[in-house]
Amino acid sequence: MLILSPKLLDDALNISEQAGKYLVDFYQKFKESSVNVEHKLDNTPVTEVDLYLSQFLIEKLTALTPHVPILSEENCKIPLAERSLWDEYWLIDPLDGTQQFINRTDHFAVLITLVQKQKPVLGIIYAPILKTVYYAMQGFGAYKKVGDEVIKLTTQSFPNNRVIKIGVGAESTKQKVQPLLNPNYQYEFLIYGSCGLKSGLVSDGTCDCYVRLGSTGEWDTAPAEVLLAELDGGVFDFQFQALTYNQKEDFTNPNFLMVSNKGFDWQKIFKFN
């Protein structure tokens, strides 16, 4: 198995930044003309950008670690019988927030995660238009880099006795979440772009939590698992159980809650049942 080291993290960060440069070029091209958009079976959009970046990341990660398999959102038709034999693998989403890319919100990212023994251990969320990257590695801490400034992230305080800030993806999600909340607290909602970027907002304290209703894949949450684990945060389903990785035939996550500090009693805030 790969040894977690600063060099491995730096190499993976460099690959994410190279992919980000292509993403910026595609974004400019999309502005000037158009990018071909198709829809998958689940009705989510996929573009030539997703497919190009997927192939690029697979080639670069294969060159970096030739014996480590790679699972991409755009290349995931590998049966569980085969995947279950993997001790480790790279899990990537070449364009997290395809709809955000199409809508030109700037809120999209490249996601790269290394998973060892079914646990994410190295995670990168790179938003090239925002010039922001969140990254973490097990036992090495969690960081946010904006431009050339690197900030070491720290565990967030409990949201006791103040407004609880909740990240969601859309106004419609906000309407669905409000009835699940304990009315004895005050809440503030932030509607923001891709899944990866909302998890970044939880890790840096912009939001106390992020609630997701609806379909996501394991590649969407995997880098956040590493970031938040380094910060005493976490990711849970609505029964407050941990999410799983590479243990099912498909890669669909349940509805989930990401929290900046898992020491807080979130079950008194969210009445999911």
Side-chain angles (χ1 to χ4, degrees):
M1 245 184 335
L2 296 175
I3 295 170
L4 300 182
S5 67
K7 184 181 186 309
L8 178 65
L9 179 58
D10 283 345
D11 287 341
L13 282 166
N14 286 336
I15 290 171
S16 75
E17 288 172 5
Q18 290 173 51
K21 288 175 182 173
Y22 282 114
L23 193 45
V24 171
D25 289 344
F26 274 114
Y27 201 47
Q28 188 63 35
K29 173 187 171 186
F30 185 70
K31 182 178 180 181
E32 293 169 353
S33 56
S34 65
V35 169
N36 184 40
V37 180
E38 297 178 0
H39 283 82
K40 304 180 198 176
L41 292 175
D42 63 1
N43 207 37
T44 55
V46 62
T47 70
E48 63 196 82
V49 185
D50 300 74
L51 301 173
Y52 179 89
L53 288 177
S54 180
Q55 191 57 41
F56 174 81
L57 288 167
I58 288 169
E59 288 175 5
K60 289 295 181 181
L61 290 169
T62 299
L64 176 66
T65 56
H67 304 297
V68 179
I70 300 165
L71 191 63
S72 167
E73 179 179 9
E74 311 309 334
N75 186 20
C76 60
K77 290 182 172 57
I78 303 167
L80 180 61
E82 179 180 339
R83 291 185 278 111
S84 64
L85 303 175
W86 296 352
D87 277 339
E88 63 182 340
Y89 62 100
W90 292 103
L91 180 60
I92 59 174
D93 186 347
L95 177 48
D96 175 47
T98 301
Q99 193 63 56
Q100 303 289 332
F101 179 92
I102 294 166
N103 294 347
R104 300 199 59 77
T105 68
D106 299 351
H107 295 168
F108 49 83
V110 177
L111 309 186
I112 299 176
T113 308
L114 178 66
V115 183
Q116 293 183 331
K117 297 191 178 298
Q118 322 308 343
K119 181 182 178 185
V121 295
L122 182 160
I124 297 167
I125 301 165
Y126 179 46
I129 302 296
L130 304 179
K131 295 184 171 58
T132 299
V133 58
Y134 297 92
Y135 59 95
M137 190 164 61
Q138 182 178 285
F140 285 76
Y143 299 84
K144 176 183 180 181
K145 183 180 178 185
V146 183
D148 294 324
E149 181 187 10
V150 177
I151 304 152
K152 189 174 196 299
L153 300 175
T154 57
T155 300
Q156 300 301 313
S157 61
F158 291 159
N160 284 323
N161 305 318
R162 63 170 173 78
V163 175
I164 296 173
K165 296 168 290 183
I166 303 173
V168 292
E171 181 68 31
S172 59
T173 307
K174 174 183 170 182
Q175 304 302 330
K176 292 173 184 173
V177 168
Q178 282 174 320
L180 307 174
L181 298 169
N182 183 334
N184 296 320
Y185 290 79
Q186 287 187 299
Y187 305 97
E188 180 182 305
F189 285 87
L190 178 61
I191 298 171
Y192 203 75
S194 78
C195 181
L197 291 180
K198 284 190 287 292
S199 62
L201 298 182
V202 176
S203 68
D204 69 16
T206 302
C207 292
D208 295 304
C209 61
Y210 157 36
V211 186
R212 175 69 186 216
L213 303 170
S215 179
T216 57
E218 293 177 12
W219 36 77
D220 293 310
T221 52
E225 297 270 11
V226 192
L227 274 164
L228 293 170
E230 291 295 299
L231 300 168
D232 297 323
V235 188
F236 310 103
D237 65 19
F238 282 7
Q239 282 71 50
F240 292 92
Q241 300 299 308
L243 304 188
T244 62
Y245 292 86
N246 198 29
Q247 293 179 40
K248 311 189 302 287
E249 282 293 351
D250 72 2
F251 302 97
T252 306
N253 286 322
N255 295 334
F256 63 77
L257 173 68
M258 285 186 188
V259 302
S260 60
N261 192 320
K262 64 183 180 184
F264 183 70
D265 185 4
W266 292 98
Q267 295 192 54
K268 71 182 181 185
I269 299 296
F270 289 96
K271 306 302 179 185
F272 291 127
N273 300 317

